[in-house]
Amino acid sequence: MISRAKKVSDYKELNTTLPVTRYVDPETIYINLTNNRCKTYELNVEKGDYIRVAQIIGERSGGFFKQPIYSTVSGTVGETVKKHDGTGVEAEFITVKNDFKDELCRNVVDRPDSVIDAFTQADFVNIVKEKSIIGLGGSGFPTYIKLDTKEKINTVVVNAVECEPYLTSDYRLIKDTPEPVIKGLIYAMKALNAPEGVIAIKKTKIPLIEVLERELKRFKEYNIRLAKLEDYYPQGWEIETFKNAVGITVPIGELPMKYGIIGFNVSTCAAIYEAVKHNMPVVKRHFTINGDAINFPQNYRVRVGTNVRDLIKLSDGYVDDAKQINFISGGPMMGVSMPTDDIVITPTTTSILVLKSTDYKEEPCVRCASCVYSCPAGLQPVQIMNAVKRNDKTALANLEAKNCIECGLCAYVCTSKIHVTDYVRQGKQLLG
Amino acid sequence: MEIVKKTSPHLRRPNARVVRMMRDVTIALMPLVVFAIINHGLNAVFILLAAVLSMVLTEYVYYQIQDLKAGNGFTFKNKHCTIYNFSVITSGLIYGLTLPDQTPITVVIIGGVVGVFLAKLIFGGMGQNIFNIAAFARVFVVLSFGAAVGYSQFVDANAGATALGILNRNIVDANVTNSYALMTMFTGIGLPGSLGETSAMLILVGGIYLLLRRSFDVVVPLTYIGTVFVLSCAVMISQGIGFWYPMTHLLSGGLIFGAVFMATDPITSPVTRPGRIYFAFGIGVITFFIRLFGNLPEGVVFAILIMNMFVPAIDYAKWSHQKFNLRRLSIFSVVIALTILITIVGVNYAG
């Protein structure tokens, strides 16, 4: 097969039609104290203390920013434990015993619209910073840093493409609750004083387009339009989305803000709305469990801090005939393989995929160049692979291996089933 | 049940398999095989069998010796053999189909053995070869046994020459259309020539099958045939001769066969789309120049081998690029214009 991969089989049929299950609260909630961007933390509660939902229990700090740690449950504080989070790294968590009362912290009060209307950019930035909103699509980048840009922003783009196969959590979020998403976008537009808002979505997701079009009629005073994009992978890559939705090509490695454009994930938008309007941090999120090795694929609305094992149990466990499984956090193309299923859902964990493990038999490369035709970053993966085998750094620099976004298409299309993406990753490491 | 750690991506394209690609080429060759057998009878059967078997067995023996030397012991099945993914069968069939029907069997076998050994095995087997195996074997036969290889039947006034033979002697000989009608050259019925190269129609059927299955890169044959067409049109206009001239060039010799089955061999072509276009353009120009100015009536296999040598240069990391841009396109256009100019000037002096 010598051709560009236009479409990746997406296996979403089942999960898009399933309604979201509100998961019964677990007994124990794990609240992440560290994550991949913040390595140190300070706690201001002790074992045995009673905490409420949305209460600040400490502060974690990364290299150049700090964010408060919020409780997502009401109950009693327990031990500090080490567990894996959705990025596959071991992080520290504090256990909280759920009292199932869901008592809200006293300072959580709704803001009236009149107050919000008078907000300036600094006010929005402060709220988002204070509620520790981060990129919920998986990046985990603090949203306030993006909102705090000094550049003139013309367009705010909501990335609702969700091009990874199997994943449906953003899909269900828009289908069930489109209003927070649109209002979050409006707040972002207000904060940045941007004249235009764009919701970028695949044109094949017709039910979502219907929902959004109906909903947008209520917000006619704002200049928000839907950008219906072609269905191919990796349409959800920021640069690709911007190019097709707004028509601006941002060079790889440059900040889109310089070009008057900024992008947020759907869940991030909804989180911005929750933070600004209801004064709430991210307490719950949409979560997909899917894959061919799980008995009941399902979308859940889970409390942040739930252990995935509880959800697996609720999805009726793994299929019987699966001897070896891959446990993946994120999508099948870019997701991270987990060493264990004992994973805690943090705000940035979007989904868990359980796939039967297949060992592909590698054959010699036949230079069919499907990878070259498919690479969205304009690279030549097969040449990079050969340069890595030769340990040829000059060639790697000439081939611009550092521009790789690890979308996984080169390995996906490979006729010889070679894991090309791995070689390109090695190439990036060689370049340093 | 056990959790295995792997690196992303965790999905693979279902239809992407080497076997599928190579098997498709074999299937696309089948109409030609049948046509050759109908036309040439048992001769064709023997030549094709000898071509395929000599290649398969050489490879088998080679890998068995390699395994024995590595101390792996003898097993009848050898996992290195590319017979399992049709690669060597494809090479053998293409090689056999390029041979004239009167080729002695010993010559076929020697060509096959030498071809697969020198062009494929000593380079490191499948995926490592620089030269197209079939083209290499064919050239070896032409250069070593030129006198023994000949066309037998359909003797006409020009004593068994193909249309290109006539054209090679006199660039603009209108006599060629008297000998061969274009329709005959398209269907290939009753035409002298190699076993599988005569029927443009059946080759195109195979090509369309490969295109539908996406088992070859259609850019290569299109550019190749297009180049020859444009250059011969340039000659046609400058010499004021009829449209039969470019059509004769397209339909005769191994041009379409080479374009569809030999130039498209992915292993011996560049990996970028612009690279493949330069590559096919180069083959087209060299083929046409050999036909026009060279000593040989037929240049397809030579052109393919010559351009095979330039593949690493085309793929050189410093200038190879995934897509065309304005600069690359304009330079390439200048090269095309210059080539046409050289052709016209050359024909005026050589003609």
Side-chain angles (χ1 to χ4, degrees):
Chain A
M1 197 106 162
I2 306 180
S3 69
R4 183 168 181 248
K6 291 193 188 72
K7 224 184 132 187
V8 173
S9 343
D10 74 355
Y11 309 100
K12 288 192 191 189
E13 299 81 6
L14 177 64
N15 248 29
T16 46
T17 50
L18 287 172
V20 175
T21 310
R22 263 101 189 134
Y23 171 50
V24 189
D25 266 346
E27 292 273 329
T28 324
I29 286 286
Y30 304 87
I31 297 164
N32 62 324
L33 299 171
T34 62
N35 59 28
N36 59 342
R37 288 183 194 266
C38 307
K39 301 292 178 206
T40 52
Y41 66 93
E42 244 173 77
L43 261 187
N44 50 24
V45 289
E46 278 172 19
K47 195 180 168 188
D49 283 2
Y50 183 78
I51 55 171
R52 295 184 166 82
V53 177
Q55 182 183 334
I56 298 177
I57 57 168
E59 190 178 53
R60 64 174 85 89
S61 39
F64 54 96
F65 61 88
K66 290 186 168 167
Q67 50 186 215
I69 303 170
Y70 279 92
S71 159
T72 58
V73 71
S74 65
T76 347
V77 178
E79 304 281 332
T80 315
V81 290
K82 279 204 164 188
K83 276 187 185 296
H84 288 271
D85 67 3
T87 53
V89 189
E90 252 196 356
E92 287 188 53
F93 291 86
I94 191 160
T95 53
V96 180
K97 203 169 171 325
N98 195 349
D99 69 351
F100 299 104
K101 284 187 189 134
D102 232 352
E103 259 188 77
L104 269 182
C105 191
R106 277 179 216 93
N107 65 7
V108 176
V109 276
D110 284 9
R111 284 195 182 87
D113 285 340
S114 53
V115 175
I116 297 171
D117 281 340
F119 273 176
T120 60
Q121 180 175 11
D123 292 324
F124 280 109
V125 170
N126 270 338
I127 294 171
V128 168
K129 184 178 181 181
E130 197 181 285
K131 295 296 164 198
S132 70
I133 305 294
I134 49 180
L136 296 185
S139 71
F141 189 75
T143 306
Y144 82 88
I145 296 177
K146 275 167 102 175
L147 268 186
D148 202 16
T149 176
K150 294 285 172 284
E151 309 275 350
K152 170 88 191 77
I153 299 292
N154 300 316
T155 318
V156 180
V157 179
V158 178
N159 192 340
V161 176
E162 204 174 40
C163 61
E164 278 264 19
Y166 283 111
L167 305 196
T168 51
S169 59
D170 285 356
Y171 184 101
R172 289 308 309 191
L173 175 69
I174 298 174
K175 185 125 204 260
D176 301 341
T177 51
E179 198 185 322
V181 177
I182 294 171
K183 283 197 167 159
L185 168 62
I186 290 170
Y187 290 159
M189 284 162 67
K190 269 185 186 157
L192 297 162
N193 208 3
E196 193 193 21
V198 175
I199 302 179
I201 196 157
K202 274 188 186 175
K203 68 176 183 193
T204 44
K205 294 181 177 170
I206 296 158
L208 289 197
I209 292 172
E210 280 168 6
V211 167
L212 283 171
E213 270 172 355
R214 196 171 61 225
E215 203 67 18
L216 280 176
K217 282 189 188 127
R218 292 168 47 208
F219 299 98
K220 280 222 171 100
E221 66 269 34
Y222 300 98
N223 179 18
I224 300 177
R225 65 181 172 88
L226 277 184
K228 296 166 199 164
L229 307 182
E230 291 293 324
D231 179 14
Y232 68 85
Y233 181 86
Q235 180 69 271
W237 178 32
E238 215 174 39
I239 291 173
E240 201 77 21
T241 313
F242 291 161
K243 190 171 83 190
N244 296 322
V246 191
I248 296 173
T249 313
V250 182
I252 297 175
E254 289 205 47
L255 282 178
M257 278 84 113
K258 261 179 80 179
Y259 296 81
I261 186 167
I262 193 166
F264 295 106
N265 177 266
V266 183
S267 314
T268 317
C269 267
I272 293 175
Y273 168 76
E274 291 291 328
V276 174
K277 178 72 185 167
H278 298 305
N279 224 337
M280 282 285 278
V282 182
V283 170
K284 290 187 175 177
R285 70 156 298 140
H286 275 66
F287 190 80
T288 305
I289 289 196
N290 206 340
D292 55 6
I294 191 103
N295 272 324
F296 283 93
Q298 184 63 273
N299 302 296
Y300 292 103
R301 178 125 180 109
V302 294
R303 198 179 285 278
V304 171
T306 307
N307 193 323
V308 173
R309 272 190 182 159
D310 295 335
L311 294 178
I312 298 282
K313 219 178 286 166
L314 207 71
S315 279
D316 223 9
Y318 308 111
V319 292
D320 293 333
D321 59 340
K323 290 226 166 48
Q324 290 190 318
I325 58 166
N326 295 336
F327 205 78
I328 303 147
S329 158
M333 300 297 283
M334 297 184 70
V336 188
S337 190
M338 298 286 142
T340 158
D341 59 357
D342 188 14
I343 292 161
V344 176
I345 296 172
T346 58
T348 52
T349 321
T350 56
S351 53
I352 285 290
L353 272 186
V354 190
L355 297 176
K356 285 178 188 163
S357 180
T358 342
D359 286 318
Y360 298 99
K361 189 174 156 271
E362 276 191 19
E363 287 188 72
C365 171
V366 291
R367 294 166 58 86
C368 69
S370 294
C371 52
V372 182
Y373 288 2
S374 302
C375 181
L379 307 178
Q380 300 160 45
V382 53
Q383 300 252 61
I384 295 175
M385 176 177 87
N386 290 335
V388 167
K389 285 180 179 167
R390 298 195 302 266
N391 207 357
D392 184 348
K393 284 187 190 156
T394 338
L396 280 175
N398 279 330
L399 292 165
E400 296 171 319
K402 60 179 190 318
N403 283 354
C404 170
I405 54 165
E406 302 188 15
C407 69
L409 263 184
C410 45
Y412 175 79
V413 297
C414 184
T415 307
S416 304
K417 306 278 185 222
I418 299 169
H419 205 318
V420 189
T421 315
D422 254 5
Y423 284 106
V424 182
R425 280 193 195 111
Q426 282 176 34
K428 283 166 84 174
Q429 276 169 9
L430 273 179
L431 281 178
Chain B
M1 219 261 334
E2 153 193 29
I3 291 171
V4 192
K5 238 187 125 168
K6 276 190 183 159
T7 47
S8 67
H10 307 274
L11 284 183
R12 295 292 191 278
R13 178 148 73 178
N15 281 333
R17 292 196 313 276
V18 178
V19 187
R20 179 183 186 271
M21 199 163 95
M22 294 297 179
R23 193 176 49 211
D24 276 350
V25 180
T26 316
I27 293 171
L29 286 168
M30 277 308 137
L32 296 174
V33 171
V34 174
F35 181 78
I37 292 172
I38 292 172
N39 257 359
H40 303 287
L42 273 183
N43 256 353
V45 178
F46 288 140
I47 289 176
L48 289 175
L49 268 182
V52 174
L53 283 181
S54 62
M55 287 203 172
V56 171
L57 288 178
T58 309
E59 203 193 46
Y60 181 76
V61 170
Y62 176 83
Y63 281 125
Q64 288 293 21
I65 294 172
Q66 289 268 304
D67 270 14
L68 285 179
K69 273 177 76 181
N72 289 343
F74 181 83
T75 44
F76 181 70
K77 271 181 97 167
N78 191 308
K79 62 179 191 313
H80 298 295
C81 276
T82 53
I83 186 170
Y84 303 117
N85 58 26
F86 289 83
S87 159
V88 70
I89 299 177
T90 310
S91 304
L93 270 182
I94 294 175
Y95 162 60
L97 286 171
T98 59
L99 292 172
D101 61 305
Q102 289 301 305
T103 319
I105 298 298
T106 43
V107 171
V108 179
I109 291 172
I110 293 171
V113 170
V114 170
V116 83
F117 185 72
L118 285 185
K120 183 177 187 180
L121 295 176
I122 61 168
F123 281 103
M126 189 180 137
Q128 304 294 326
N129 46 318
I130 295 172
F131 296 110
N132 186 308
I133 300 150
F136 186 91
R138 169 74 170 116
V139 164
F140 178 78
V141 167
V142 171
L143 294 183
S144 312
F145 305 99
V149 180
Y151 306 101
S152 69
Q153 348 153 275
F154 313 118
V155 180
D156 65 6
N158 286 300
T162 60
L164 277 177
I166 307 170
L167 277 183
N168 189 245
R169 256 173 270 146
N170 182 354
I171 294 176
V172 288
D173 190 353
N175 193 22
V176 69
T177 33
N178 302 336
S179 308
Y180 305 108
L182 285 180
M183 203 55 208
T184 320
M185 296 179 76
F186 183 66
T187 56
I189 296 165
L191 205 66
S194 303
L195 288 181
E197 290 177 346
T198 44
S199 175
M201 187 177 64
L202 291 179
I203 297 167
L204 289 180
V205 168
I208 288 167
Y209 172 75
L210 289 177
L211 172 64
L212 291 178
R213 297 272 291 176
R214 301 245 175 269
S215 286
F216 77 165
D217 196 349
V218 75
V219 165
V220 175
L222 285 186
T223 318
Y224 183 10
I225 297 172
T227 306
V228 173
F229 183 72
V230 167
L231 291 180
S232 49
C233 277
V235 172
M236 172 187 87
I237 292 165
S238 72
Q239 297 287 320
I241 42 182
F243 193 62
W244 58 268
Y245 183 73
M247 289 318 282
T248 311
H249 265 290
L250 288 199
L251 295 175
S252 59
L255 181 80
I256 294 183
F257 184 84
V260 171
F261 291 112
M262 288 160 99
T264 52
D265 175 14
I267 298 171
T268 53
S269 47
V271 292
T272 59
R273 179 147 281 165
R276 283 186 175 168
I277 290 174
Y278 306 149
F279 171 75
F281 172 75
I283 301 179
V285 172
I286 295 173
T287 307
F288 194 68
F289 281 10
I290 291 178
R291 283 183 176 186
L292 219 55
F293 311 127
N295 212 2
L296 289 158
E298 174 60 296
V300 174
V301 278
F302 288 100
I304 290 173
L305 287 185
I306 290 170
M307 282 315 286
N308 280 166
M309 288 193 287
F310 285 99
V311 167
I314 295 172
D315 273 347
Y316 187 53
K318 215 159 195 165
W319 50 67
S320 73
H321 201 273
Q322 194 201 35
K323 287 195 186 79
F324 273 115
N325 63 8
L326 201 65
R327 188 169 143 261
R328 282 182 271 269
L329 260 185
S330 33
I331 293 175
F332 188 46
S333 314
V334 171
V335 172
I336 294 175
L338 279 178
T339 318
I340 294 173
L341 198 74
I342 291 170
T343 316
I344 294 172
V345 173
V347 166
N348 271 327
Y349 280 98

